[in-house]
Amino acid sequence: MTRDYAAEPLRVGVLGAKGKMGAEVCNAVEHADDLSLVAAIDAGDALETLTDAGAEAVVDFTHPDVVMGNLEFAVNCGIHCVVGTTGFTEERLATLRGWLDVSPGLGVLIAPNFAIGAVLTMKFSELAAKYYESVEVIELHHPRKADAPSGTAARTAQLIAAARAEAGLPASPDATSQELDGARGALVDDVRVHSIRLSGLIAHQEVLFGTEGETLSIRHDSMDRKSFMPGVLLAVRSVPTLPGLTVGLDSLLGL
Ligand SMILES: NC(=O)C1=CN([C@@H]2O[C@H](COP(=O)(O)OP(=O)(O)OC[C@H]3O[C@@H](n4cnc5c(N)ncnc54)[C@H](OP(=O)(O)O)[C@@H]3O)[C@@H](O)[C@H]2O)C=CC1
Ligand SMILES: O=C(O)C1=N[C@H](C(=O)O)C[C@H](O)C1
């Protein structure tokens, strides 16, 4: 029998519930009439709490080191997953697809960034990429962030690099021949990415394009973690009807 989500709220569990994002997600789910928070789990808590509580979907904002274990448990238990945690390499995505192949009907949605403006920044950057000979990405975050570059910056660089490759563009021009280690940032698929960590910041990104006589800057700023919540709630409501692996919010936003 098909589950009628309109008649009964979707039962949601949150992993990383005491963290900066997890606490915000718990609050957002609690305030949504069509969702019910049935489990709030943090480090040291048993994952079985999810199944005991009858969770139908789980949201993971934990840590790159633990997210795969969490997802393996949830997928094995037939729980749909929405994932904001970073650290998803192609290898990890392939592993996930393998798990989902034997779990028909189950959905996992992973988004490097749930803020609408950040999703648009990635899309706009992908569109602009083929028109400029130079590009560099700067991401700026709070100093408690574990990973660098950010998942968003890595994804942005990959999208730009793919668009440049398709257009037949070579690497951005750069005459640097003497470099203090790290001064030119990290290379992600041939695109330079620079990571700033600064107290007072939350999550920010600027993509700089340049060609003869002009530059284009595309910038997004999340000044409050509430900026991620509309995207997270959209993903939670959508994931039960999105079987398989979905990466990014683009398709849910009609992009
Ligand atoms: N996609 C997006 O839009 C966004 C993604 N992120 C990403 O989300 C992740 C979390 O970010 P943030 O909330 O800032 O980080 P926090 O460190 O504030 O929160 C993570 C929480 O997860 C807990 N945790 C650790 N291991 C487990 C586990 N095995 N099971 C359950 N909980 C666990 C941590 O506990 P403890 O501290 O005790 O280890 C902590 O409370 C990061 O990867 C970040 O990059 C962040 C913002 C937006
Ligand atoms: O750790 C964070 O804070 C953020 N992490 C995500 C990332 O690495 O891209 C999303 C956003 O930038 C905030």
Side-chain angles (χ1 to χ4, degrees), residues 82-239:
V82 169
V83 187
T85 308
T86 45
F88 280 87
T89 55
E90 279 309 318
E91 195 184 345
R92 284 186 170 202
L93 295 176
T95 302
L96 252 174
R97 284 192 188 94
W99 295 341
L100 287 167
D101 281 348
V102 290
S103 310
L106 202 65
V108 173
L109 187 150
I110 300 175
N113 202 312
F114 284 96
I116 307 304
V119 179
L120 289 172
T121 298
M122 287 186 259
K123 181 54 80 179
F124 295 157
S125 300
E126 188 181 12
L127 284 175
K130 68 176 176 186
Y131 300 106
Y132 290 89
E133 73 175 351
S134 291
V135 60
E136 306 230 351
V137 178
I138 306 171
E139 57 95 339
L140 310 90
H141 281 83
H142 58 92
R144 284 179 290 165
K145 184 164 177 56
D147 52 323
S150 69
T152 309
R155 177 86 180 138
T156 306
Q158 286 160 359
L159 292 170
I160 291 170
R164 285 173 66 92
E166 200 184 316
L169 289 184
S172 297
D174 181 2
T176 309
S177 58
Q178 238 193 330
E179 182 191 350
L180 185 63
D181 236 13
R184 293 286 294 116
L187 267 181
V188 178
D189 290 357
D190 246 8
V191 175
R192 296 270 168 198
V193 180
H194 308 267
S195 298
I196 312 282
R197 296 293 174 262
L198 201 70
S199 294
L201 295 181
I202 300 274
H204 316 257
Q205 176 164 288
E206 187 157 342
V207 185
L208 302 171
F209 291 100
T211 193
E212 202 150 328
E214 67 164 299
T215 64
L216 170 69
S217 304
I218 303 174
R219 182 172 174 117
H220 175 256
D221 298 276
S222 272
M223 283 148 329
D224 191 308
R225 290 187 176 83
K226 287 192 173 25
S227 62
F228 302 109
M229 294 308 118
V232 171
L233 294 183
L234 174 65
V236 170
R237 290 175 175 128
S238 307
V239 75

Side-chain angles (χ1 to χ4, degrees), residues 26-110:
C26 288
N27 187 45
V29 170
E30 278 178 318
H31 283 88
D33 291 343
D34 58 338
L35 307 175
S36 170
L37 182 69
V38 297
I41 296 170
D42 207 76
D45 298 336
L47 286 172
E48 286 73 17
T49 311
L50 286 174
T51 38
D52 293 347
E56 297 167 289
V58 69
V59 182
D60 188 300
F61 280 97
T62 56
H63 192 282
D65 292 348
V66 301
V67 64
M68 288 302 279
N70 291 344
L71 291 181
E72 186 171 19
F73 177 89
V75 169
N76 276 336
C77 296
I79 302 172
H80 304 289
C81 305
V82 169
V83 187
T85 308
T86 45
F88 280 87
T89 55
E90 279 309 318
E91 195 184 345
R92 284 186 170 202
L93 295 176
T95 302
L96 252 174
R97 284 192 188 94
W99 295 341
L100 287 167
D101 281 348
V102 290
S103 310
L106 202 65
V108 173
L109 187 150
I110 300 175

